[in-house]
Amino acid sequence: MLYAPHPPQCCAELTLQQFARLDARFLHLPELRARGALALTVQDSADLLHAHLRLRETDGVGGEWRGTPGQLDEDPDGPTSPVLRGCGEAALASALALDLGGVQTCGVCIHELCGVLEGWPRGTVYLLSRQTVGVTVARRLNLTSFFDRLELDLLMGQDFVGYAVVRAHGLAVDGTSLVLRAGN
């Protein structure tokens, strides 16, 4: 795994075990590959770590996956964002590998979530709206994007009115996934 913090001042080549200390989801590489979630997980990790990532497999598979911070923000109709738009909570967790390795979703109230998000320098927020088939992803906000952060501040001031569920995703210091969920 090549890890280059953004803006790229240096880069490091890490083994998968070393990189898993930054994002533990990669301990489940065979499962990610089997479910076809590897490309999206690499991109999500790039956003959460705010780093350019390049995963190269040399164990006979020989694939390469890249993640660039903010790539989904710059191209909302890009190849991966439609995968998330319109999917439910379980499908979102599966696509981002948040259902592997015992990741716990912590239920919080909207006001508590707002307080936590104000202190997060990076992470992603998924806004889900109520549809006839349940709740589905309507919008994704990247906390490192100035415009997404501005929109988030406006939505927090209105207690996320119009959205049924707000999910915040981040990474803890030990690389485990943090998932906070608030419902309206």
Side-chain angles (χ1 to χ4, degrees):
M1 177 69 81
L2 181 69
Y3 169 79
H6 185 75
Q9 300 148 345
C10 67
C11 69
E13 210 166 296
L14 305 172
T15 66
L16 201 57
Q17 295 298 325
Q18 291 169 329
F19 184 72
R21 286 186 231 142
L22 296 173
D23 191 337
R25 295 178 291 178
F26 289 92
L27 289 172
H28 306 282
L29 187 63
E31 291 93 340
L32 292 172
R33 192 183 312 116
R35 70 169 62 170
L38 193 50
L40 190 56
T41 304
V42 169
Q43 179 56 53
D44 187 56
S45 185
D47 284 334
L48 294 177
L49 293 168
H50 203 61
H52 296 275
L53 302 178
R54 181 172 55 205
L55 172 65
R56 277 192 223 150
E57 290 190 284
T58 57
D59 63 354
V61 178
E64 181 174 295
W65 295 266
R66 293 175 185 247
T68 302
Q71 184 174 3
L72 295 179
D73 306 326
E74 295 169 9
D75 186 9
D77 295 321
T80 54
S81 67
V83 171
L84 301 176
R85 209 174 301 132
C87 70
E89 283 190 85
L92 176 66
S94 177
L96 299 176
L98 295 172
D99 58 342
L100 299 174
V103 175
Q104 296 292 319
T105 300
C106 182
V108 295
C109 72
I110 288 288
H111 297 290
E112 186 178 357
L113 179 66
C114 292
V116 171
L117 288 177
E118 286 177 358
W120 279 15
R122 56 185 179 247
T124 53
V125 176
Y126 291 88
L127 306 170
L128 292 90
S129 58
R130 195 164 310 285
Q131 305 293 323
T132 56
V133 293
V135 293
T136 60
V137 175
R139 181 88 172 90
R140 175 187 178 274
L141 301 172
N142 183 345
L143 297 182
T144 59
S145 165
F146 173 79
F147 295 108
D148 285 359
R149 179 68 80 164
L150 185 62
E151 184 177 350
L152 180 68
D153 288 343
L154 293 171
L155 290 168
M156 287 191 307
Q158 301 169 356
D159 291 333
F160 295 99
V161 69
Y163 293 102
V165 175
V166 181
R167 290 178 57 106
H169 301 173
L171 292 170
V173 175
D174 65 354
T176 58
S177 294
L178 299 170
V179 180
L180 301 175
R181 180 189 188 277
N184 267 337

